[in-house]
Amino acid sequence: MNATTLEKKGSNHLYSSSDYLLEVTELKKHFPIKAGILQRTVGSVKAVDGVSFRVKKGETIGIVGESGCGKSTAGRTLIRLYEPTGGDILFKGKNISKMRESELRRTVRKDIQMIFQDPFASLNPRKTLKHILAEPLITHNLYKGREREDKIQQLLEKVGFNPMFINRYPHEFSGGQRQRIGIARALAVNPDLIIADEPVSALDVSIQAQIINLMEDLQDELGLTYVFISHDLSVVRHISDKVGVMYLGRMMEFANKKDLYDEPLHPYTQALLSAVPVPRRKGVERRERIILKGDLPSPSNPPQGCVFHTRCPAATAMCSERVPEYKEVKKDHFVACHLY
Ligand code: SF4
């Protein structure tokens, strides 16, 4: 399926093509639950169950939600670390959701890179920085001999390292420095899009700011596009142009940062934001804290109708029966709620 056929489907959350580097439509990732000696499939965990958003080149899209909402699974499914159960992923206008691995490797694997939460776990402790950074260059057959060495030195300098460190091992560095190595490794193959999965959550607050500043500087310099996944609404507010809010595998709201933070429409977004302390600003009302009742339901047995209805302060009878459509209720402001 190409971009044009997506447009023809006629739903208002399927997008046109060329402006967007990445267009995700109704992405789903279900994991089977197996039981018994024969390991029969007895159900599924709907980790991602209908996520749509689009990203322009050079933008940063923040994806927020509580732990277990499916945001990290969505990030991994976007780059086909997990096989999507359904939906479409258009990258540079090409549908990569069903692309064969051989074609993915040739065309996409280099252009989309990932930065992980735990840089230590994702760096081989037995390899020096030189080997860690050479690996993606070798995999994608980029730069040879002296040029490769020069490229590795440039990468180290780009992320604020002394190139003299080239023969050191990951354990010789702090958490923040290791995340810089993770960023350098992602940059090695000159990607267009970086999926950053909780890249600063494991770091001290002062170090978080340094890594965020580095990512912003690199974006300006290299024209990078980010999908930034985090549970931290303040960090996402700082770095993002647009923000998507996920709950139980679904996208509840997606809008420009200002619209979403100043005027959240979805009751779940309103509750999330009410818990974030914000400085008093002229013309902007301080929000009442909204306490959500109950626990997050299990994604293996999500509620019928709107998945948020068991906790929503605004729920009506219809909410437990009908799934709300995810639709554009204002320009570039998408919401999945029967109130709109
Ligand atoms: Fe709440 Fe109903 Fe809207 Fe869901 S559809 S968020 S339950 S009001």
Side-chain angles (χ1 to χ4, degrees):
M1 189 188 292
N2 59 28
T4 317
T5 48
L6 277 174
E7 254 181 314
K8 279 183 189 159
K9 277 186 171 177
S11 169
N12 56 5
H13 61 266
L14 294 168
Y15 311 118
S16 63
S17 53
S18 55
D19 280 355
Y20 296 95
L21 184 68
L22 179 72
E23 302 168 59
V24 182
T25 307
E26 283 293 319
L27 186 67
K28 292 187 177 144
K29 178 62 196 172
H30 299 174
F31 294 99
I33 303 170
K34 308 249 182 204
I37 302 170
L38 297 175
Q39 287 291 288
R40 286 217 175 90
T41 302
V42 293
S44 65
V45 174
K46 293 175 178 164
V48 178
D49 198 31
V51 163
S52 303
F53 65 95
R54 51 188 169 174
V55 189
K56 283 184 179 159
K57 186 167 167 44
E59 278 185 335
T60 299
I61 301 297
I63 307 280
V64 287
E66 295 164 284
S67 162
C69 71
K71 56 193 188 302
S72 291
T73 304
R76 283 169 164 76
T77 310
L78 279 180
I79 59 166
R80 297 272 310 269
L81 284 182
Y82 295 146
E83 280 305 303
T85 307
D88 291 294
I89 307 161
L90 262 72
F91 178 66
K92 293 184 180 172
K94 269 195 178 169
N95 195 340
I96 65 168
S97 57
K98 296 169 193 89
M99 205 178 252
R100 281 203 303 273
E101 182 56 39
S102 54
E103 198 184 348
L104 266 184
R105 228 177 294 134
R106 259 199 332 274
T107 58
V108 180
R109 288 267 176 249
K110 184 178 90 51
D111 294 344
I112 311 180
Q113 292 291 304
M114 191 142 187
I115 302 172
F116 297 93
Q117 173 177 357
D118 182 353
F120 200 52
S122 64
L123 299 173
N124 188 332
R126 286 189 290 276
K127 293 198 168 161
T128 61
L129 296 199
K130 180 174 166 177
H131 285 110
I132 288 169
L133 297 179
E135 233 164 46
L137 301 178
I138 294 165
T139 304
H140 294 285
N141 206 15
L142 294 170
Y143 309 99
K144 300 243 161 67
R146 183 69 228 170
E147 270 190 2
R148 187 172 288 164
E149 196 115 328
D150 288 348
K151 176 72 182 175
I152 292 170
Q153 299 217 346
Q154 280 169 18
L155 284 167
L156 288 175
E157 281 175 37
K158 241 184 220 326
V159 298
F161 264 93
N162 185 335
M164 304 277 284
F165 292 171
I166 197 163
N167 290 316
R168 294 201 183 173
Y169 291 87
H171 73 264
E172 297 180 57
F173 299 103
S174 66
Q177 287 172 317
R178 289 198 289 258
Q179 194 53 290
R180 286 173 190 267
I181 301 167
I183 293 171
R185 184 178 54 182
L187 293 180
V189 292
N190 307 319
D192 297 304
L193 173 66
I194 292 186
I195 315 277
D197 185 11
E198 300 272 13
V200 297
S201 312
L203 307 175
D204 290 346
V205 174
S206 60
I207 310 296
Q208 286 186 0
Q210 292 174 14
I211 297 294
I212 296 288
N213 290 341
L214 173 66
M215 288 182 69
E216 287 180 324
D217 291 346
L218 291 169
Q219 183 171 42
D220 288 345
E221 188 186 334
L222 306 170
L224 293 166
T225 305
Y226 294 134
V227 172
F228 191 98
I229 297 164
S230 175
H231 68 281
D232 188 327
L233 286 149
S234 305
V235 171
V236 166
R237 179 179 204 156
H238 179 88
I239 196 166
S240 307
D241 299 301
K242 293 175 183 158
V243 178
V245 179
M246 279 185 69
Y247 180 83
L248 219 60
R250 289 173 182 263
M251 191 66 92
M252 298 278 118
E253 184 162 5
F254 184 85
N256 291 320
K257 169 173 71 177
K258 189 172 181 325
D259 293 343
L260 191 120
Y261 280 80
D262 286 356
E263 257 186 274
L265 297 180
H266 197 283
Y268 178 59
T269 316
Q270 289 167 355
L272 271 188
L273 289 177
S274 77
V276 181
V278 283
R280 192 178 279 281
R281 281 196 291 141
K282 214 174 155 196
V284 178
E285 293 258 321
R286 186 167 284 216
R287 290 188 193 104
E288 286 264 326
R289 177 84 198 263
I290 303 166
I291 311 280
L292 291 178
K293 56 187 182 189
D295 296 325
L296 188 69
S298 164
S300 62
N301 186 21
Q304 297 287 309
C306 172
V307 287
F308 186 53
H309 85 260
T310 52
R311 304 173 78 195
C312 179
T316 62
M318 175 168 63
C319 301
S320 57
E321 288 160 15
R322 277 184 37 209
V323 179
E325 191 190 350
Y326 176 73
K327 58 183 183 235
E328 189 170 16
V329 296
K330 288 195 217 169
K331 186 164 173 3
D332 293 331
H333 198 145
F334 295 80
V335 185
C337 175
H338 291 310
L339 297 178
Y340 302 94

